[in-house]
Amino acid sequence: MPRITALIENAGQVLTCAANAPDLVGAQTDVVVALSHDTIATIGTRAELAAVHDLSAAERIDAGGGVVMPGFVDCHTHLIFHKSRVEEYAQRVRGHTSAEIGAMGIPMGISATAQMMREATGEQLVESATERLDKMLSFGTTTVESKSGYGLNTATELKTLEVARTLAGSQPIEIVSTFLGAHEFPGDRSRESYITEILEEMIPEVARRNLAEFNDVYCDQGYYTVAESRTILKRGKEYGLKVKIHTDAYSHIGGSTLAAELEAVSADHMNYTDAAEYPLLRDAGVVCVVMPALDFAVHHVRPFNGRAMLDAGITVALATDMCPGCWLESMPFVIQLACRLYKFSPAEAIRASTLHAAMALDRGDRLGSLEAGKQADIAIFPYSRYEDMAYRLGRGQASHVLKAGKVVLAAGTVMR
């Protein structure tokens, strides 16, 4: 039997979020969570554990009557960027169009952030991203996907991914890196020459340095066509990079069908995905990642139809889309928005933020649920029942967070 090194006790509810959990989250009362170093040993009553384990030397972690659940997996972020685009955002919420904002001389969009990124040092990027990660941790997030894509040239794309590698070793949250060179087109060269740079320079060098696990493309009207996206994603597969795709955010050009064709790990955004594509995505095992905070931040004209996709049997995950256009560190706020705007139940939203989000990063076998043998990534929230996560708007700070069995946040303090 595994040696019990820690016990999480005095929980009001324990949510397993396991694949076969009743009511999606498997809420249990009167149980403790037993850890063996960095993994979950078992969940059961104290009497059940004491019958087969010596618990005398185990560290006690008091949940204070709160909800114990898997740490959140934020499976779609643009974590690493420099400065902000607050002036652009302020004008957009006032109702000004892109043309009007441009006439004011305010830099906009991906290209504006790319210029800021080129001016930033690696140290500056590490510092600003660490601040964001600390806030994410305070809201119970234990794993974050981090995309490049604000470089639009080889040097800055590689710099971004190198910063992600530094972050992975310098703070508690697990970082999963995605290469997104095909996020936009730079203004200083032709479309064809930039795609050639992605294919012949960026992807081979990213793979050689082992800087990313995934290759992503923004397949949408005005960005990358289906044919261009297919070429870039297949090139990544040749170098061992798994497939992700931004698609159907502002138009419908066939990106979801491409995701099913290439058996992408995830397809993200999905505002304009046609219902006829739902069976293709479901049968191909594509996790659909949706981001209600992004829809909220941009006042999207066509918010994602969450209820229809869930009812079609698709595995749906939630994420913050943390980026200069949607500056959000809180997964609990994402849950609150998903319940109200997308018609998720609280249990569906929590499941989408834990197990399904882990599946969107190809980590469902290791993360996202509290089950024996899985990594002990755990968040404790000061609620008596999990539905409060959706009900208490603007709240959601964790009292404790554990990463791989180690307490990394307690009483609002990050422990490094």
Side-chain angles (χ1 to χ4, degrees):
M1 300 298 292
R3 175 171 171 251
I4 304 304
T5 55
L7 288 174
I8 302 175
E9 51 192 10
N10 192 25
Q13 287 182 321
V14 173
L15 311 186
T16 68
C17 297
N20 60 353
D23 300 323
L24 301 180
V25 293
Q28 302 178 57
T29 57
D30 301 318
V31 296
V32 296
V33 181
L35 310 183
S36 178
H37 301 288
D38 62 349
T39 62
I40 298 165
T42 189
I43 299 172
T45 66
R46 176 173 290 279
E48 290 170 340
L49 269 63
V52 293
H53 297 290
D54 178 3
L55 307 179
S56 60
E59 175 190 2
R60 261 63 174 184
I61 300 169
D62 186 356
V67 172
V68 177
M69 59 177 285
F72 291 123
V73 178
D74 194 348
C75 59
H76 182 125
T77 87
H78 303 260
L79 170 71
I80 299 166
F81 57 88
H82 190 49
K83 297 183 179 178
S84 80
R85 300 208 309 263
V86 64
E87 292 183 4
E88 174 192 352
Y89 188 83
Q91 295 303 327
R92 290 196 186 281
V93 297
R94 293 181 63 193
H96 290 298
T97 66
S98 294
E100 290 169 339
I101 297 170
M104 298 175 195
I106 297 172
M108 293 180 294
I110 295 168
S111 60
T113 299
Q115 182 58 43
M116 297 175 197
M117 284 288 288
R118 292 168 193 157
E119 298 167 356
T121 65
E123 291 76 14
Q124 288 174 315
L125 295 174
V126 168
E127 181 179 1
S128 61
T130 298
E131 181 180 351
R132 290 189 276 274
L133 286 165
D134 284 353
K135 289 185 173 67
M136 290 172 160
L137 187 68
S138 75
F139 288 107
T141 296
T142 51
T143 301
V144 167
E145 185 250 19
S146 175
K147 301 180 188 292
S148 68
Y150 292 128
L152 305 185
N153 62 39
T154 300
T156 314
E157 289 294 307
L158 295 175
K159 177 172 69 174
T160 305
L161 295 169
E162 291 283 7
V163 166
R165 174 175 283 172
T166 298
L167 291 167
S170 63
Q171 52 76 55
I173 292 179
E174 183 174 339
I175 305 295
V176 180
S177 286
T178 294
F179 168 64
L180 180 59
H183 196 194
E184 171 64 286
F185 289 93
D188 59 352
R189 75 205 83 159
S190 71
R191 185 184 192 101
E192 293 75 17
S193 67
Y194 184 62
I195 291 175
T196 298
E197 183 176 351
I198 292 172
L199 298 174
E200 303 302 329
E201 295 183 29
M202 294 188 190
I203 289 175
E205 191 62 15
V206 167
R208 187 186 72 79
R209 298 192 195 184
N210 194 28
L211 288 174
E213 182 175 342
F214 296 96
N215 181 30
D216 200 345
V217 174
Y218 191 176
C219 179
D220 215 332
Q221 188 70 43
Y223 295 89
Y224 290 79
T225 67
V226 170
E228 290 165 345
S229 299
R230 181 184 288 108
T231 298
I232 292 167
L233 293 172
K234 283 189 170 182
R235 181 67 163 170
K237 289 181 75 172
E238 292 172 4
Y239 280 87
L241 298 176
K242 302 170 191 175
V243 174
K244 282 183 169 289
I245 188 168
H246 283 55
T247 195
D248 298 347
Y250 295 101
S251 65
H252 181 266
I253 64 171
S256 290
T257 299
L258 177 63
E261 172 195 325
L262 297 180
E263 297 182 327
V265 176
S266 78
D268 302 23
H269 286 290
M270 319 305 286
N271 298 72
Y272 282 83
T273 304
D274 193 278
E277 294 169 300
Y278 289 178
L280 299 176
L281 293 162
R282 181 193 62 221
D283 295 347
V286 179
V287 180
C288 292
V289 179
V290 298
M291 291 150 284
L294 186 278
D295 285 356
F296 175 79
V298 303
H299 196 212
H300 205 296
V301 297
R302 184 167 171 169
F304 164 74
N305 188 348
R307 188 73 261 154
M309 194 168 276
L310 287 169
D311 291 344
I314 291 173
T315 300
V316 179
L318 290 168
T320 61
D321 198 12
M322 173 61 171
C323 68
C326 179
W327 196 311
L328 177 66
E329 292 101 346
S330 171
M331 283 298 295
F333 185 60
V334 171
I335 287 170
Q336 292 154 21
L337 290 175
C339 290
R340 179 51 66 194
L341 301 181
Y342 288 176
K343 301 181 181 179
F344 283 51
S345 71
E348 287 170 331
I350 288 173
R351 176 75 155 256
S353 304
T354 53
L355 181 61
H356 290 179
M359 294 168 65
L361 297 181
D362 203 20
R363 281 162 169 73
D365 61 338
R366 182 169 65 84
L367 306 176
S369 61
L370 303 187
E371 300 178 79
K374 279 198 166 183
Q375 186 166 297
D377 289 8
I378 300 170
I380 304 173
F381 292 92
Y383 301 133
S384 60
R385 52 186 290 169
Y386 73 84
E387 291 92 343
D388 277 320
M389 182 77 69
Y391 173 61
R392 299 196 186 190
L393 303 179
R395 298 277 295 276
Q397 283 84 2
S399 61
H400 295 77
V401 179
L402 288 79
K403 181 65 182 177
K406 178 183 177 183
V407 176
V408 293
L409 182 133
T413 300
V414 177
M415 302 176 180
R416 302 194 188 283

